[in-house]
Amino acid sequence: MQLHKPDVVDAATAILDNYGIADLTMRRLARELNVSPGALYWHFANKQELLGAVADRILQPVRTEPTAPAWPGQIHQICVALRDALLSHTDGAELVSSSFAAGQSELATEIVAQLAGAAQRAGVIPPDDELAARTVLYYVLGFTADEQSRLQWDAAGALTDDQSVLNRDTSRQFAFGLQLLVDGLAVRGASTLGAARDMPQRSRD
Amino acid sequence: MQLHKPDVVDAATAILDNYGIADLTMRRLARELNVSPGALYWHFANKQELLGAVADRILQPVRTEPTAPAWPGQIHQICVALRDALLSHTDGAELVSSSFAAGQSELATEIVAQLAGAAQRAGVIPPDDELAARTVLYYVLGFTADEQSRLQWDAAGALTDDQSVLNRDTSRQFAFGLQLLVDGLAVRGASTLGAARDMPQRSRD
DNA sequence: ACCTGAACACCGTTCAAGT
DNA sequence: ACCTGAACACCGTTCAAGT
């Protein structure tokens, strides 16, 4: 029977979940699908494009309009959903991170747009809104990649107790860094929102 | 003549600067040094360890006690020095980022400690200071990796004018995101520094 | 102690040729 | 249109054997 893109992405995701990103190779994937390696290149231009498709599969659950009424809640919502999505796949953060950097994940770009919207509602005006959005994304990707790699060291069994990610409340830690950014956003937003009152620098000019 | 670790790191850095991280392979490096690939494994346990040594070489210029009097200036100083160091080597941000994630860069850990110190001076108490420090580092690495990969696309000549990193003031953009974090740090620090005054939420309980 | 030679078990990608 | 077979030009790592 014929090979279709979604089948390929399914198989790739299965390898990722079960063996990790190091084992997600074109040849291994072809073997799993009972095709020759060359067959994959009919459907995907190269490995990066395929990884981008896997990244978009991972980010699918994040694809939802935020329901929170105010912008801080919206940012929390998006970021928590994002971290959850990344944590549900082995090396998820690493894969999405590099796909985003390579500009191969459409959904990552969409998430940036949504975060930028929240930043605007916080009072950050273009083009700073996108900058703020990217800053938030860098944080979530960096934090989660770190968390996930520690989890792997942990599973491998070579980590002292105070390094163990299990003994620390990572969700609380994640929220702390996120709050840092939300607070910063509030300050930055307030400085450009009419309210020149109690803002000493450049009140009117 | 004998092969010494610093020679190896020198040669590796040269390959990185001239050809990029994709060409920094053990075999290529051995060829450049006129030794067999196996020789490298007498000096380094594996490729990750060697890359960690290159990362530390890149971070060397950042290794300096901050001279700014107040913590916001110190953070700016460290982060600007860090970004400059990363930008002076092809794929510098990507290399340091992955070495840090793999726990192979001692200097990266040192930089986190220095940022944590600044966070403490901002009023963020342990263990949140390290969390704050890591958040700042995630930002610098994420931003700079992004900036650097856009620079590469640009050099390759396939980017529209408004995507071009040259037409945007990236240093100003970098400062914006950094300010976001510094502002957040100020808020967080103030909330734990005695001053419960004019802080509506959980002022006393 | 330090290095070579050779092997092992892989990679990503291309492309003529088949159906 | 879609895929195979086979090749090209590589990888990281190990390890007996040499000096």
Side-chain angles (χ1 to χ4, degrees):
Chain A
M1 60 257 97
Q2 258 224 62
L3 196 59
H4 291 105
K5 267 178 146 166
D7 308 336
V8 179
V9 178
D10 278 348
T13 308
I15 294 175
L16 186 71
D17 289 346
N18 297 317
Y19 305 96
I21 202 170
D23 283 352
L24 182 40
T25 69
M26 297 301 267
R27 296 183 100 103
R28 169 86 186 255
L29 177 56
R31 212 186 311 138
E32 219 89 11
L33 288 164
N34 290 116
V35 296
S36 89
L40 298 173
Y41 289 87
W42 181 261
H43 301 276
F44 298 89
N46 47 46
K47 189 180 179 180
Q48 269 209 357
E49 193 177 302
L50 193 151
L51 292 182
V54 177
D56 278 350
R57 163 75 50 100
I58 291 176
L59 295 177
Q60 207 58 51
V62 191
R63 209 171 197 274
T64 166
E65 291 295 321
T67 59
W71 67 266
Q74 293 172 356
I75 291 184
H76 265 97
Q77 214 175 310
I78 295 168
C79 291
V80 167
L82 177 53
R83 171 165 170 265
D84 285 348
L86 299 175
L87 288 178
S88 356
H89 300 270
T90 312
D91 298 323
E94 198 183 328
L95 186 140
V96 169
S97 205
S98 73
S99 289
F100 170 66
Q104 296 284 357
S105 169
E106 285 174 36
L107 286 198
T109 310
E110 203 174 279
I111 290 168
V112 170
Q114 231 154 41
L115 288 170
Q120 279 190 37
R121 265 159 258 138
V124 178
I125 59 177
D128 288 343
D129 60 331
E130 200 204 305
L131 226 39
R134 278 170 43 203
T135 302
V136 172
L137 186 63
Y138 296 146
Y139 168 66
V140 178
L141 292 176
F143 181 94
T144 313
D146 211 342
E147 177 180 7
Q148 215 158 22
S149 91
R150 282 169 209 249
L151 269 168
Q152 250 121 268
W153 283 108
D154 223 2
L159 228 51
T160 66
D161 269 16
D162 80 87
Q163 291 175 305
S164 172
V165 97
L166 305 174
N167 301 3
R168 314 208 218 179
D169 187 350
T170 50
S171 291
R172 192 224 132 239
Q173 294 185 38
F174 179 69
F176 173 85
L178 195 47
Q179 193 56 47
L180 221 56
L181 286 159
V182 168
D183 287 343
L185 234 27
V187 174
R188 217 92 293 270
S191 80
T192 56
L193 273 185
R197 159 190 42 84
D198 85 51
M199 283 273 122
Q201 76 283 47
R202 45 204 225 73
S203 21
R204 116 207 90 249
D205 64 64
Chain B
M1 59 259 101
Q2 257 224 62
L3 196 59
H4 292 107
K5 268 178 145 166
D7 309 336
V8 179
V9 177
D10 278 348
T13 308
I15 294 176
L16 185 71
D17 289 347
N18 297 317
Y19 306 95
I21 201 170
D23 283 353
L24 182 40
T25 68
M26 297 301 269
R27 297 183 100 104
R28 170 87 185 255
L29 178 55
R31 212 186 311 139
E32 219 88 12
L33 287 163
N34 291 116
V35 296
S36 89
L40 298 173
Y41 289 87
W42 181 262
H43 302 276
F44 298 90
N46 48 46
K47 189 180 180 181
Q48 269 209 355
E49 193 177 301
L50 192 151
L51 291 182
V54 176
D56 278 350
R57 163 76 49 101
I58 291 176
L59 295 177
Q60 207 60 52
V62 191
R63 208 171 199 278
T64 167
E65 290 295 320
T67 59
W71 66 266
Q74 293 172 355
I75 290 183
H76 266 97
Q77 214 174 312
I78 295 168
C79 291
V80 167
L82 177 54
R83 171 165 169 263
D84 286 347
L86 300 175
L87 288 178
S88 353
H89 300 270
T90 312
D91 299 324
E94 197 183 327
L95 186 140
V96 169
S97 204
S98 73
S99 288
F100 171 66
Q104 296 285 357
S105 169
E106 284 174 36
L107 286 198
T109 310
E110 205 174 278
I111 290 168
V112 170
Q114 231 155 43
L115 288 170
Q120 280 189 37
R121 265 159 258 138
V124 177
I125 59 178
D128 287 343
D129 61 331
E130 201 204 305
L131 226 39
R134 278 170 44 202
T135 302
V136 172
L137 185 63
Y138 297 146
Y139 167 67
V140 178
L141 292 175
F143 182 94
T144 312
D146 211 342
E147 177 181 7
Q148 215 157 24
S149 91
R150 282 169 208 248
L151 269 170
Q152 250 120 268
W153 282 107
D154 224 359
L159 227 50
T160 66
D161 269 15
D162 80 86
Q163 292 175 303
S164 172
V165 98
L166 304 173
N167 302 2
R168 313 207 219 177
D169 186 351
T170 50
S171 290
R172 194 226 130 237
Q173 293 184 40
F174 179 69
F176 174 86
L178 195 47
Q179 193 56 47
L180 221 57
L181 286 160
V182 168
D183 286 343
L185 234 26
V187 173
R188 217 92 292 270
S191 81
T192 55
L193 275 185
R197 160 190 43 83
D198 83 50
M199 284 271 123
Q201 74 284 42
R202 45 204 226 71
S203 23
R204 116 208 91 248
D205 65 65

Coordinates of all heavy atoms in Angstrom, one line a residue, chain B residues 37-113:
Chain B
P37 N 41.7 9.6 13.9 CA 40.5 9.9 14.8 C 40.6 9.4 16.2 O 40.2 10.1 17.1 CB 39.3 9.3 14.0 CG 39.8 9.2 12.6 CD 41.3 9.0 12.6
G38 N 41.1 8.2 16.3 CA 41.2 7.5 17.6 C 42.1 8.3 18.6 O 41.9 8.3 19.8
A39 N 43.0 9.1 18.1 CA 43.9 9.8 18.9 C 43.2 10.8 19.8 O 43.5 11.0 21.0 CB 45.0 10.6 18.1
L40 N 42.1 11.4 19.3 CA 41.3 12.4 20.1 C 40.7 11.8 21.3 O 40.5 12.4 22.3 CB 40.2 13.0 19.2 CG 40.7 13.7 17.9 CD1 39.5 14.1 17.1 CD2 41.5 15.0 18.3
Y41 N 40.5 10.4 21.2 CA 39.8 9.8 22.3 C 40.8 9.4 23.5 O 40.4 8.9 24.5 CB 39.1 8.5 21.8 CG 37.9 8.9 21.0 CD1 37.9 9.2 19.7 CD2 36.6 9.1 21.6 CE1 36.8 9.5 18.9 CE2 35.5 9.5 20.9 CZ 35.6 9.7 19.6 OH 34.5 10.1 18.8
W42 N 42.0 9.7 23.3 CA 43.0 9.6 24.4 C 42.8 10.9 25.2 O 42.9 10.8 26.5 CB 44.4 9.5 23.9 CG 45.3 9.4 25.1 CD1 46.1 10.4 25.6 CD2 45.6 8.2 25.9 NE1 46.8 9.9 26.7 CE2 46.5 8.6 26.9 CE3 45.1 6.9 25.8 CZ2 46.9 7.7 27.8 CZ3 45.5 6.0 26.8 CH2 46.4 6.4 27.8
H43 N 42.5 12.0 24.6 CA 42.4 13.3 25.3 C 41.0 13.7 25.8 O 40.8 14.4 26.7 CB 43.0 14.4 24.5 CG 44.4 14.1 24.1 ND1 45.5 14.5 24.9 CD2 45.0 13.6 23.0 CE1 46.6 14.1 24.3 NE2 46.3 13.6 23.2
F44 N 40.0 13.2 25.1 CA 38.6 13.5 25.4 C 37.8 12.2 25.4 O 37.9 11.4 24.5 CB 38.0 14.5 24.4 CG 38.7 15.8 24.4 CD1 39.8 16.0 23.5 CD2 38.4 16.9 25.2 CE1 40.5 17.3 23.5 CE2 39.0 18.1 25.2 CZ 40.1 18.3 24.4
A45 N 37.0 12.1 26.4 CA 36.2 10.8 26.5 C 35.2 10.7 25.3 O 35.0 9.6 24.8 CB 35.4 10.9 27.8
N46 N 34.7 11.8 24.8 CA 33.8 11.7 23.7 C 33.6 13.1 23.1 O 34.2 14.1 23.6 CB 32.4 11.1 24.1 CG 31.9 11.8 25.4 OD1 32.0 13.0 25.5 ND2 31.5 11.0 26.4
K47 N 32.8 13.2 22.0 CA 32.6 14.4 21.3 C 32.0 15.5 22.2 O 32.4 16.7 22.2 CB 31.7 14.2 20.1 CG 31.7 15.4 19.2 CD 30.8 15.2 17.9 CE 30.9 16.5 17.1 NZ 30.0 16.3 15.9
Q48 N 31.0 15.1 23.0 CA 30.3 16.1 23.9 C 31.3 16.8 24.8 O 31.2 18.0 25.0 CB 29.3 15.4 24.8 CG 27.9 15.3 24.1 CD 26.8 15.3 25.2 OE1 27.1 15.2 26.4 NE2 25.6 15.4 24.8
E49 N 32.3 16.0 25.3 CA 33.3 16.6 26.2 C 34.1 17.6 25.5 O 34.5 18.7 26.0 CB 34.1 15.5 26.8 CG 35.0 16.0 28.0 CD 35.8 14.8 28.6 OE1 35.1 13.8 29.1 OE2 37.0 14.9 28.7
L50 N 34.5 17.2 24.3 CA 35.3 18.2 23.4 C 34.5 19.4 23.1 O 35.0 20.6 23.3 CB 35.7 17.5 22.1 CG 36.8 18.2 21.3 CD1 37.6 17.1 20.5 CD2 36.2 19.2 20.3
L51 N 33.2 19.3 22.8 CA 32.4 20.5 22.5 C 32.3 21.3 23.8 O 32.3 22.6 23.7 CB 31.0 20.0 22.0 CG 31.0 19.4 20.6 CD1 29.6 19.1 20.2 CD2 31.7 20.3 19.6
G52 N 32.2 20.7 24.9 CA 32.2 21.4 26.2 C 33.4 22.3 26.4 O 33.4 23.4 26.8
A53 N 34.6 21.7 26.0 CA 35.8 22.5 26.1 C 35.8 23.7 25.1 O 36.3 24.8 25.4 CB 37.0 21.6 25.8
V54 N 35.3 23.5 23.9 CA 35.1 24.6 23.0 C 34.2 25.7 23.5 O 34.5 26.9 23.4 CB 34.6 24.1 21.6 CG1 34.4 25.3 20.6 CG2 35.6 23.1 21.0
A55 N 33.1 25.2 24.1 CA 32.1 26.1 24.7 C 32.8 27.0 25.8 O 32.7 28.2 25.8 CB 31.0 25.4 25.4
D56 N 33.6 26.4 26.6 CA 34.3 27.1 27.7 C 35.3 28.1 27.1 O 35.5 29.2 27.6 CB 35.0 26.1 28.6 CG 34.1 25.6 29.7 OD1 32.9 26.1 29.7 OD2 34.4 24.6 30.4
R57 N 35.9 27.7 26.0 CA 36.9 28.6 25.3 C 36.1 29.9 24.8 O 36.5 31.0 25.0 CB 37.5 27.9 24.1 CG 38.1 28.8 23.0 CD 39.5 29.3 23.4 NE 40.3 28.3 24.0 CZ 41.3 27.7 23.3 NH1 41.6 28.0 22.1 NH2 42.1 26.8 23.9
I58 N 34.9 29.6 24.2 CA 34.1 30.7 23.7 C 33.7 31.7 24.9 O 33.6 32.9 24.7 CB 32.8 30.2 23.0 CG1 33.2 29.5 21.7 CG2 31.8 31.3 22.8 CD1 32.1 28.8 21.0
L59 N 33.4 31.1 26.0 CA 32.9 31.8 27.2 C 33.9 32.5 28.0 O 33.7 33.3 28.9 CB 32.0 30.9 28.1 CG 30.7 30.4 27.5 CD1 30.0 29.4 28.4 CD2 29.8 31.5 27.1
Q60 N 35.2 32.2 27.7 CA 36.3 32.8 28.4 C 36.2 34.3 28.6 O 36.3 34.8 29.7 CB 37.6 32.5 27.7 CG 38.8 32.4 28.7 CD 38.6 31.4 29.8 OE1 38.3 30.3 29.5 NE2 38.8 31.8 31.0
P61 N 35.9 35.1 27.5 CA 35.8 36.6 27.7 C 34.7 37.0 28.6 O 34.7 38.2 29.1 CB 35.5 37.1 26.3 CG 35.9 35.9 25.4 CD 35.7 34.7 26.2
V62 N 33.7 36.2 28.9 CA 32.6 36.6 29.8 C 33.1 36.4 31.3 O 32.4 37.0 32.2 CB 31.4 35.7 29.5 CG1 30.2 36.3 30.2 CG2 31.1 35.6 28.0
R63 N 34.2 35.7 31.5 CA 34.7 35.4 32.8 C 35.2 36.6 33.5 O 36.5 36.8 33.5 CB 35.8 34.4 32.6 CG 35.9 33.4 33.8 CD 36.9 32.3 33.3 NE 36.8 31.2 34.2 CZ 37.4 31.1 35.4 NH1 38.2 32.0 35.8 NH2 37.3 30.0 36.1
T64 N 34.4 37.5 34.1 CA 34.9 38.7 34.7 C 33.8 39.1 35.7 O 32.6 39.1 35.5 CB 35.1 39.8 33.7 OG1 35.3 41.0 34.3 CG2 34.0 39.9 32.7
E65 N 34.3 39.6 36.9 CA 33.4 40.0 37.9 C 32.7 41.3 37.4 O 33.4 42.2 36.9 CB 34.1 40.4 39.2 CG 34.7 39.1 39.9 CD 33.5 38.2 40.5 OE1 32.5 38.8 40.9 OE2 33.7 37.0 40.4
P66 N 31.4 41.4 37.5 CA 30.7 42.6 37.1 C 31.2 43.8 37.8 O 31.3 43.8 39.1 CB 29.2 42.3 37.3 CG 29.2 41.1 38.2 CD 30.5 40.4 38.0
T67 N 31.4 44.9 37.1 CA 31.9 46.2 37.8 C 30.8 47.2 38.1 O 31.0 48.1 38.8 CB 32.9 46.8 36.9 OG1 32.3 47.2 35.7 CG2 34.1 45.9 36.7
A68 N 29.6 47.0 37.5 CA 28.5 47.9 37.7 C 28.1 47.9 39.2 O 28.2 46.9 39.8 CB 27.3 47.5 36.8
P69 N 27.7 49.1 39.7 CA 27.4 49.2 41.1 C 26.1 48.5 41.5 O 26.1 47.9 42.6 CB 27.4 50.7 41.3 CG 27.0 51.3 40.0 CD 27.6 50.4 39.0
A70 N 25.1 48.6 40.7 CA 23.8 48.1 41.0 C 23.5 46.8 40.2 O 24.0 46.6 39.1 CB 22.7 49.1 40.8
W71 N 22.6 46.0 40.7 CA 22.3 44.7 40.1 C 21.8 44.8 38.7 O 22.1 43.9 37.9 CB 21.4 43.8 41.0 CG 20.0 44.3 41.2 CD1 19.6 45.1 42.2 CD2 18.9 44.1 40.4 NE1 18.3 45.4 42.1 CE2 17.8 44.8 41.0 CE3 18.7 43.4 39.2 CZ2 16.5 44.8 40.4 CZ3 17.4 43.4 38.6 CH2 16.4 44.1 39.2
P72 N 20.9 45.8 38.4 CA 20.4 45.8 37.0 C 21.6 46.0 36.0 O 21.6 45.3 34.9 CB 19.5 47.0 36.9 CG 19.1 47.2 38.3 CD 20.3 46.9 39.1
G73 N 22.5 46.9 36.3 CA 23.7 47.1 35.5 C 24.5 45.8 35.4 O 25.1 45.5 34.3
Q74 N 24.6 45.1 36.5 CA 25.4 43.9 36.5 C 24.9 42.8 35.5 O 25.6 42.2 34.7 CB 25.5 43.3 37.9 CG 26.3 44.2 38.8 CD 26.2 43.7 40.3 OE1 25.5 42.8 40.6 NE2 27.0 44.4 41.2
I75 N 23.6 42.7 35.6 CA 22.9 41.7 34.7 C 23.1 42.1 33.2 O 23.4 41.3 32.4 CB 21.4 41.6 35.0 CG1 21.3 40.9 36.4 CG2 20.7 40.8 33.9 CD1 19.8 40.6 36.8
H76 N 22.9 43.4 33.0 CA 23.1 43.9 31.6 C 24.5 43.6 31.1 O 24.7 43.1 30.0 CB 22.8 45.4 31.5 CG 21.5 45.8 31.1 ND1 20.5 46.1 32.0 CD2 20.9 45.8 29.8 CE1 19.3 46.3 31.3 NE2 19.6 46.2 30.0
Q77 N 25.5 43.9 32.0 CA 26.9 43.7 31.7 C 27.2 42.2 31.3 O 27.8 41.9 30.3 CB 27.7 44.1 32.9 CG 29.0 44.7 32.6 CD 29.7 45.2 33.9 OE1 29.0 45.9 34.8 NE2 30.9 44.8 34.1
I78 N 26.7 41.3 32.2 CA 27.0 39.9 32.0 C 26.3 39.5 30.6 O 26.9 38.8 29.8 CB 26.5 39.1 33.1 CG1 27.2 39.4 34.4 CG2 26.5 37.6 32.8 CD1 26.6 38.8 35.7
C79 N 25.1 39.9 30.5 CA 24.3 39.4 29.3 C 24.9 39.9 28.0 O 24.9 39.2 27.0 CB 22.9 39.7 29.5 SG 22.1 38.7 30.8
V80 N 25.3 41.2 28.0 CA 25.8 41.8 26.8 C 27.2 41.1 26.4 O 27.4 40.8 25.3 CB 26.0 43.3 26.9 CG1 26.8 43.9 25.8 CG2 24.6 44.0 27.0
A81 N 28.0 40.9 27.5 CA 29.3 40.2 27.3 C 29.0 38.8 26.7 O 29.7 38.4 25.8 CB 30.1 40.2 28.6
L82 N 28.0 38.2 27.3 CA 27.7 36.8 26.8 C 27.3 36.8 25.4 O 27.8 36.0 24.5 CB 26.6 36.2 27.7 CG 26.1 34.9 27.4 CD1 27.2 33.8 27.3 CD2 25.1 34.4 28.4
R83 N 26.4 37.7 25.0 CA 25.9 37.7 23.6 C 27.1 38.0 22.7 O 27.2 37.4 21.6 CB 24.8 38.8 23.5 CG 24.4 39.0 22.0 CD 23.1 39.8 21.9 NE 22.9 40.3 20.5 CZ 23.2 41.5 20.1 NH1 23.7 42.4 21.0 NH2 22.9 41.8 18.9
D84 N 27.9 39.0 23.1 CA 29.1 39.3 22.2 C 30.0 38.1 22.0 O 30.4 37.9 20.9 CB 29.9 40.5 22.9 CG 29.2 41.8 22.8 OD1 28.2 41.9 22.0 OD2 29.6 42.8 23.4
A85 N 30.2 37.4 23.1 CA 31.1 36.2 23.0 C 30.5 35.2 22.0 O 31.2 34.6 21.2 CB 31.3 35.6 24.4
L86 N 29.2 35.0 22.2 CA 28.5 34.0 21.3 C 28.5 34.4 19.8 O 28.8 33.6 18.9 CB 27.1 33.8 21.8 CG 26.9 33.3 23.2 CD1 25.4 33.2 23.5 CD2 27.5 31.9 23.4
L87 N 28.3 35.7 19.6 CA 28.3 36.2 18.2 C 29.7 36.2 17.6 O 29.8 36.3 16.3 CB 27.7 37.6 18.2 CG 26.2 37.8 18.5 CD1 25.8 39.2 18.5 CD2 25.4 37.0 17.4
S88 N 30.7 36.1 18.4 CA 32.1 36.2 17.7 C 32.5 34.8 17.2 O 33.6 34.7 16.6 CB 33.2 36.6 18.7 OG 32.7 37.1 19.9
H89 N 31.6 33.8 17.3 CA 32.0 32.5 16.7 C 30.8 32.0 16.0 O 29.7 32.0 16.5 CB 32.4 31.5 17.8 CG 33.6 31.9 18.6 ND1 34.9 31.6 18.2 CD2 33.7 32.6 19.7 CE1 35.7 32.1 19.1 NE2 35.0 32.7 20.0
T90 N 31.0 31.5 14.8 CA 29.9 30.9 14.0 C 29.2 29.8 14.8 O 29.9 28.9 15.4 CB 30.5 30.2 12.7 OG1 31.4 31.1 12.1 CG2 29.4 29.8 11.8
D91 N 27.9 29.9 14.8 CA 27.1 28.9 15.6 C 27.4 28.9 17.1 O 27.2 27.9 17.8 CB 27.2 27.5 15.0 CG 26.7 27.4 13.6 OD1 25.7 28.1 13.2 OD2 27.3 26.7 12.8
G92 N 28.0 30.0 17.6 CA 28.4 30.0 19.0 C 27.3 29.8 20.0 O 27.4 29.0 20.9
A93 N 26.1 30.4 19.7 CA 25.0 30.2 20.6 C 24.5 28.8 20.6 O 24.2 28.3 21.7 CB 23.9 31.2 20.2
E94 N 24.4 28.2 19.4 CA 23.9 26.8 19.4 C 24.9 25.9 20.1 O 24.4 25.0 20.9 CB 23.9 26.4 17.9 CG 23.0 25.2 17.6 CD 23.0 24.8 16.1 OE1 23.1 25.7 15.3 OE2 23.0 23.6 15.9
L95 N 26.2 26.1 19.9 CA 27.1 25.2 20.6 C 27.1 25.3 22.1 O 27.0 24.3 22.8 CB 28.6 25.5 20.0 CG 29.6 24.5 20.5 CD1 30.6 24.2 19.4 CD2 30.4 25.1 21.8
V96 N 27.1 26.6 22.6 CA 27.1 26.8 24.0 C 25.8 26.3 24.6 O 25.7 25.7 25.7 CB 27.3 28.3 24.3 CG1 27.1 28.6 25.8 CG2 28.8 28.6 24.0
S97 N 24.7 26.5 23.9 CA 23.4 26.1 24.3 C 23.3 24.6 24.6 O 22.9 24.2 25.6 CB 22.4 26.5 23.3 OG 21.1 26.7 23.8
S98 N 23.8 23.9 23.6 CA 23.7 22.4 23.8 C 24.7 21.9 24.8 O 24.5 20.9 25.5 CB 23.9 21.7 22.4 OG 25.2 21.7 22.0
S99 N 25.9 22.6 24.9 CA 26.9 22.1 25.9 C 26.4 22.4 27.3 O 26.5 21.6 28.2 CB 28.2 22.9 25.7 OG 28.9 22.4 24.5
F100 N 25.7 23.6 27.4 CA 25.1 23.9 28.7 C 24.0 22.9 29.1 O 24.0 22.4 30.2 CB 24.5 25.3 28.7 CG 23.7 25.6 29.9 CD1 24.3 25.7 31.2 CD2 22.3 25.8 29.8 CE1 23.5 26.0 32.3 CE2 21.6 26.1 31.0 CZ 22.2 26.2 32.2
A101 N 23.2 22.6 28.2 CA 22.1 21.6 28.4 C 22.7 20.2 28.8 O 22.1 19.5 29.6 CB 21.2 21.5 27.2
A102 N 23.8 19.9 28.2 CA 24.4 18.6 28.5 C 25.3 18.7 29.7 O 25.8 17.6 30.2 CB 25.3 18.2 27.3
G103 N 25.3 19.8 30.4 CA 26.1 20.0 31.6 C 27.6 19.9 31.4 O 28.3 19.4 32.3
Q104 N 28.1 20.2 30.2 CA 29.5 20.1 29.8 C 30.3 21.4 29.9 O 31.5 21.4 29.6 CB 29.6 19.4 28.4 CG 29.1 18.0 28.3 CD 30.0 17.0 29.0 OE1 31.0 17.3 29.5 NE2 29.5 15.7 29.0
S105 N 29.6 22.5 30.2 CA 30.3 23.7 30.2 C 30.4 24.3 31.6 O 29.4 24.7 32.2 CB 29.6 24.8 29.3 OG 30.2 26.0 29.5
E106 N 31.6 24.2 32.2 CA 31.8 24.8 33.5 C 31.5 26.3 33.6 O 31.0 26.8 34.6 CB 33.2 24.4 34.1 CG 33.4 23.0 34.5 CD 34.8 22.7 34.8 OE1 35.5 23.6 35.4 OE2 35.3 21.6 34.5
L107 N 32.0 27.0 32.6 CA 31.9 28.4 32.6 C 30.4 28.8 32.5 O 30.0 29.8 33.1 CB 32.7 29.0 31.4 CG 34.2 29.1 31.6 CD1 34.8 30.1 30.7 CD2 34.5 29.4 33.1
A108 N 29.6 28.1 31.8 CA 28.2 28.4 31.7 C 27.6 28.3 33.1 O 26.8 29.2 33.6 CB 27.4 27.4 30.8
T109 N 28.0 27.3 33.9 CA 27.5 27.1 35.2 C 28.0 28.3 36.1 O 27.2 28.8 37.0 CB 28.0 25.8 35.8 OG1 27.7 24.8 34.9 CG2 27.4 25.5 37.2
E110 N 29.2 28.7 35.9 CA 29.8 29.9 36.6 C 28.9 31.1 36.3 O 28.7 32.0 37.2 CB 31.2 30.1 36.2 CG 32.1 30.8 37.1 CD 33.5 30.8 36.7 OE1 34.2 29.8 36.9 OE2 34.0 31.8 36.1
I111 N 28.6 31.3 35.1 CA 27.8 32.5 34.7 C 26.4 32.5 35.3 O 25.9 33.5 35.8 CB 27.7 32.5 33.1 CG1 29.0 32.9 32.5 CG2 26.6 33.6 32.7 CD1 29.1 32.7 31.0
V112 N 25.8 31.3 35.4 CA 24.5 31.2 36.1 C 24.7 31.6 37.6 O 23.9 32.3 38.1 CB 24.0 29.7 36.1 CG1 22.8 29.5 37.0 CG2 23.6 29.3 34.7
A113 N 25.8 31.2 38.2 CA 26.1 31.6 39.6 C 26.2 33.1 39.7 O 25.7 33.7 40.7 CB 27.4 30.9 40.1

